[in-house]
């Protein structure tokens, strides 16, 4: 079967390949820098007068992402050498080009504010009002981001003489009741004192997004993932977590965490952020890979009014007798029952007898023609639509939208080029996501104008 791709009136690559003068004008019609200017500008008229052009500095920060300039040092070099480029960013002949320290101080001011989140939410709201987003099907995934920090050294063996020659011997045999009670009490205290994102995922459910976001670890750490060949790949840095609209490929929510945080630990913050910041978006399905196959994520999706379609993670579970790999009932001949429908009143999945029953030698009336299963009996195994059905595959294959957005961010918007450390790394990540969303909205607005002119 051939897949014919429709030609777009205007694409994101076309915007990035336009002349800088046209690109900047279009993007900054959509992206308002006034909220950023309020954060970094001087708050009082007293004291030393302002010598820097903060508006032009902010524009140059956004332009650096679009032009794929790797560092602030390279940005300053280009501003110094190219009068045309500095003029396009808003610097006048009387303005001096800021130093790296000036940019660093401005970035620190931006890091301590919520201006990125608020501006991104306003762009998503505008896209929804224009009809570019419906968010009926959303997908979430994580991508690895290498840090520029120096990797921690391995433990040195120079002072081997100071290490104990023998480890204390453990007492063999079963613990007494008193020792076991003491050990259980110690484990409970240890679990209670752990940071929130080191506890089980269900511990996040009672918290709001604002409370969860304060506990997200942001220090670079070692992370591991499996590549396409099934081998472990290690990196030192961060993880970027995205929740994306599958149809329009807008980033609805974006979060950054340490590289050692499990993907599933950020699923509930992503979904809570969507429900709190965009209550007007009515989500029907949440798509994710097997790394998110946890009961609390299904529960949070239901609180959002959506159904979670997550690839099943067997975790060394044994096959269930009388069920196939998609947990559908199986007849005496070993044929799987067919998914028929879902009853929302009783929250049940209906399975009908296999098509092979027409020629089955055991068709003596003993085989059950209809099976009904309650979704609540196991939310991981029984999804809506049912696993293995054509409708399930039709929806689940839309999950690749979030992978395409991750690829766009790394190739065109500098997400793989985090230059700051700790919490300042969030500025680079949020800046890239914001510029992507602004460019995406700009492209859709230009397409809408062009199609309107063509129709007229």
């Amino acid at each position: 079967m051939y897949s014919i791709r429709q030609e777009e009136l205007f694409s994101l690559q076309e915007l990035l390949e336009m002349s800088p003068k046209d690109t900047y004008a279009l993007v900054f019609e959509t992206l308002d820098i006034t909220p950023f200017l309020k954060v970094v500008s001087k708050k009082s008229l007293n004291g030393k007068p302002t010598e820097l052009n903060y508006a032009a500095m902010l524009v140059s920060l956004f332009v650096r992402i679009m032009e794929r300039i790797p560092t602030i040092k390279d940005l300053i070099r280009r501003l110094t050498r190219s009068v045309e480029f500095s003029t396009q960013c808003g610097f006048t002949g009387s303005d001096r080009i800021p130093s790296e320290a000036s940019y660093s101080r401005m970035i620190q001011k931006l890091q301590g504010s919520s201006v990125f989140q608020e501006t991104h939410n306003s762009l998503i709201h505008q896209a929804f009002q224009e009809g570019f987003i419906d968010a009926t099907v959303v997908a979430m995934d994580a991508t690895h981001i290498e840090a520029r920090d120096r990797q921690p050294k391995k433990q040195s063996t120079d002072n081997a003489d100071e290490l104990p020659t023998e480890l204390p011997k453990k007492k063999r045999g079963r613990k007494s009741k008193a020792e076991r009670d003491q050990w259980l009490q110690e484990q409970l205290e240890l679990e209670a004192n752990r940071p929130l994102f080191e506890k089980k995922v269900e511990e996040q459910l009672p918290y709001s997004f604002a409370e969860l976001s304060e506990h997200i670890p942001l220090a670079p750490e070692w992370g591991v993932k499996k590549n396409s060949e099934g081998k472990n790949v290690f990196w030192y840095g961060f993880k970027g977590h995205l929740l994306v609209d599958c149809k329009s490929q807008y980033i609805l929510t974006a979060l950054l965490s340490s590289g050692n945080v499990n993907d599933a630990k950020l699923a509930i913050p992503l979904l809570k952020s969507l429900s709190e910041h965009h209550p007007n978006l009515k989500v029907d399905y949440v798509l994710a890979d097997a790394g998110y196959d946890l009961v609390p994520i299904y529960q949070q999706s239901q609180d959002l009014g959506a159904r979670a379609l997550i690839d099943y993670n067997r975790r060394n579970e044994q096959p269930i007798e009388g069920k196939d790999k998609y947990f559908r009932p199986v007849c005496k001949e070993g044929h799987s029952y067919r998914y028929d429908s879902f009853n929302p009143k009783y929250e049940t999945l209906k399975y009908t007898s296999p098509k092979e029953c027409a020629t089955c030698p055991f068709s003596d009336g003993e085989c059950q023609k209809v099976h009904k299963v309650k979704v609540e009996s196991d939310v991981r195994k029984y999804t809506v639509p049912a696993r293995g059905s054509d409708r399930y595959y039709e929806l689940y294959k839309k999950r690749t939208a979030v992978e395409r957005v991750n690829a766009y961010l790394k190739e065109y918007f500098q997400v793989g080029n985090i230059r700051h450390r700790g919490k300042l790394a969030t500025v680079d990540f949020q800046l890239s996501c914001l510029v992507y969303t602004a460019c995406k909205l700009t492209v859709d607005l230009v397409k809408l104008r062009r199609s309107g002119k063509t129709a007229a």
Side-chain angles (χ1 to χ4, degrees):
M1 182 182 293
Y2 294 96
S3 177
I4 301 175
R5 185 175 180 179
Q6 296 289 340
E7 183 178 358
E8 296 183 353
L9 294 174
F10 194 76
S11 66
L12 190 59
Q13 290 90 339
E14 188 176 347
L15 174 71
L16 297 175
E17 292 171 0
M18 289 173 60
S19 66
K21 183 177 179 181
D22 297 334
T23 302
Y24 305 161
L26 289 172
V27 171
F28 288 105
E29 281 181 11
T30 305
L31 179 60
D32 184 16
I33 66 168
T34 304
F36 296 88
L37 196 57
K38 291 180 180 179
V39 173
V40 301
S41 296
K42 189 179 176 182
K43 302 297 185 293
S44 174
L45 296 176
N46 300 327
K48 186 179 179 180
T50 302
E51 298 179 356
L52 298 174
N53 189 341
Y54 286 114
M57 289 177 68
L58 287 169
V59 170
S60 65
L61 273 184
F62 292 109
V63 168
R64 170 181 164 262
I65 302 299
M66 290 188 285
E67 294 291 337
R68 284 170 269 179
I69 300 174
T71 64
I72 296 295
K73 184 177 181 180
D74 293 327
L75 174 64
I76 294 172
R77 184 183 294 112
R78 184 166 177 183
L79 289 170
T80 305
R81 295 181 177 180
S82 175
V83 177
E84 181 184 4
F85 179 72
S86 61
T87 304
Q88 290 168 349
C89 290
F91 290 99
T92 63
S94 60
D95 294 327
R96 68 177 180 87
I97 302 301
S99 63
E100 288 187 65
S102 299
Y103 274 103
S104 179
R105 287 191 292 270
M106 186 175 69
I107 289 173
Q108 288 179 353
K109 291 180 181 179
L110 293 174
Q111 187 273 323
S113 69
S114 59
V115 64
F116 284 103
Q117 183 70 50
E118 294 171 356
T119 306
H120 189 271
N121 291 341
S122 64
L123 291 178
I124 295 299
H125 180 71
Q126 182 182 353
F128 174 73
Q129 294 295 329
E130 295 287 349
F132 302 141
I133 297 177
D134 61 359
T136 55
V137 183
V138 300
M140 55 185 170
D141 200 4
T143 183
H144 74 283
I145 302 171
E146 294 187 5
R148 299 290 172 177
D149 298 54
R150 180 177 296 176
Q151 300 174 358
K153 295 181 179 180
K154 296 181 179 179
Q155 185 177 2
S156 176
T157 58
D158 297 338
N159 301 327
D161 297 335
E162 300 178 4
L163 299 177
T165 56
E166 293 184 5
L167 295 175
K169 294 183 178 180
K170 294 183 179 180
K171 183 179 178 181
R172 300 184 64 180
R174 182 178 296 179
K175 293 183 175 69
S176 65
K177 185 178 185 304
E179 290 176 337
R180 177 169 176 77
D181 291 342
Q182 182 182 357
W183 179 80
L184 290 174
Q185 184 64 29
E186 290 175 355
Q187 294 301 312
L188 290 174
E189 293 177 358
L190 182 64
E191 183 69 21
N193 294 327
R194 283 182 178 177
L196 181 59
F197 280 85
E198 291 184 9
K199 297 180 181 179
K200 294 182 179 179
V201 177
E202 52 264 28
E203 298 290 338
Q204 301 177 10
L205 291 174
Y207 294 89
S208 66
F209 170 72
E211 294 170 333
L212 291 173
S213 60
E214 292 178 357
H215 292 86
I216 297 175
L218 289 172
E221 296 288 349
W222 282 104
V224 59
K225 66 170 184 175
K226 288 189 180 294
N227 59 12
S228 57
E229 299 176 356
K231 297 180 180 179
N232 288 334
V233 177
F234 297 88
W235 82 95
Y236 182 74
F238 308 94
K239 272 186 181 179
H241 306 262
L242 301 182
L243 185 67
V244 172
D245 178 28
C246 292
K247 183 177 181 181
S248 61
Q249 297 182 21
Y250 275 91
I251 300 174
L252 303 178
T253 304
L255 297 173
L256 187 72
S257 74
S258 300
N260 62 340
V261 177
N262 189 278
D263 295 359
K265 295 288 181 72
L266 269 292
I268 290 179
L270 287 173
L271 295 174
K272 283 184 178 288
S273 174
L274 181 65
S275 62
E276 292 180 17
H277 296 144
H278 305 291
N280 51 345
L281 297 180
K282 305 302 179 184
V283 181
D284 293 335
Y285 298 100
V286 177
L287 313 180
D289 60 24
Y292 296 85
D293 185 31
L294 296 172
V295 173
I297 299 176
Y298 289 89
Q299 294 173 347
Q300 184 61 43
S301 300
Q302 291 177 356
D303 293 342
L304 195 64
R307 300 287 182 180
L309 302 183
I310 303 175
D311 201 10
Y312 191 76
N313 190 346
R314 294 194 174 272
R315 301 188 182 95
N316 298 324
E317 297 175 10
Q318 297 298 324
I320 303 175
E321 186 177 357
K323 305 280 185 178
D324 66 359
K325 63 178 182 179
Y326 299 117
F327 311 104
R328 298 175 297 189
V330 176
C331 69
K332 293 181 179 180
E333 280 266 294
H335 302 296
S336 300
Y337 278 65
R338 296 173 293 176
Y339 169 66
D340 181 83
S341 60
F342 169 71
N343 189 331
K345 182 178 179 180
Y346 299 102
E347 291 284 316
T348 56
L349 298 173
K350 179 182 178 182
Y351 296 92
T352 57
S353 55
K355 59 182 179 180
E356 291 84 1
C357 283
T359 58
C360 179
F362 298 101
S363 58
D364 51 3
E366 295 184 5
C367 284
Q368 189 173 338
K369 293 185 177 180
V370 175
H371 278 272
K372 292 185 179 181
V373 181
K374 277 193 170 292
V375 175
E376 294 179 356
S377 62
D378 196 327
V379 293
R380 292 179 56 224
K381 295 176 181 177
Y382 303 109
T383 60
V384 181
R387 296 186 183 276
S389 62
D390 293 339
R391 179 59 177 162
Y392 180 92
Y393 284 123
E394 182 183 350
L395 288 168
Y396 188 76
K397 68 181 180 182
K398 296 181 180 180
R399 193 192 66 84
T400 55
V402 67
E403 297 176 352
R404 288 195 293 271
V405 173
N406 278 329
Y408 262 119
L409 289 175
K410 285 190 171 182
E411 184 173 357
Y412 295 106
F413 295 96
Q414 297 284 311
V415 161
N417 187 30
I418 297 293
R419 290 285 173 173
H420 290 93
R421 300 177 180 178
K423 292 186 177 181
L424 283 179
T426 59
V427 176
D428 290 340
F429 179 72
Q430 291 175 333
L431 196 61
S432 297
C433 294
L434 183 61
V435 172
Y436 169 85
T437 303
C439 291
K440 191 79 176 64
L441 181 56
T442 301
V443 167
D444 288 340
L445 290 172
V446 171
K447 288 166 63 177
L448 185 63
R449 294 171 193 167
R450 289 189 177 184
S451 61
K453 290 180 180 178
T454 304

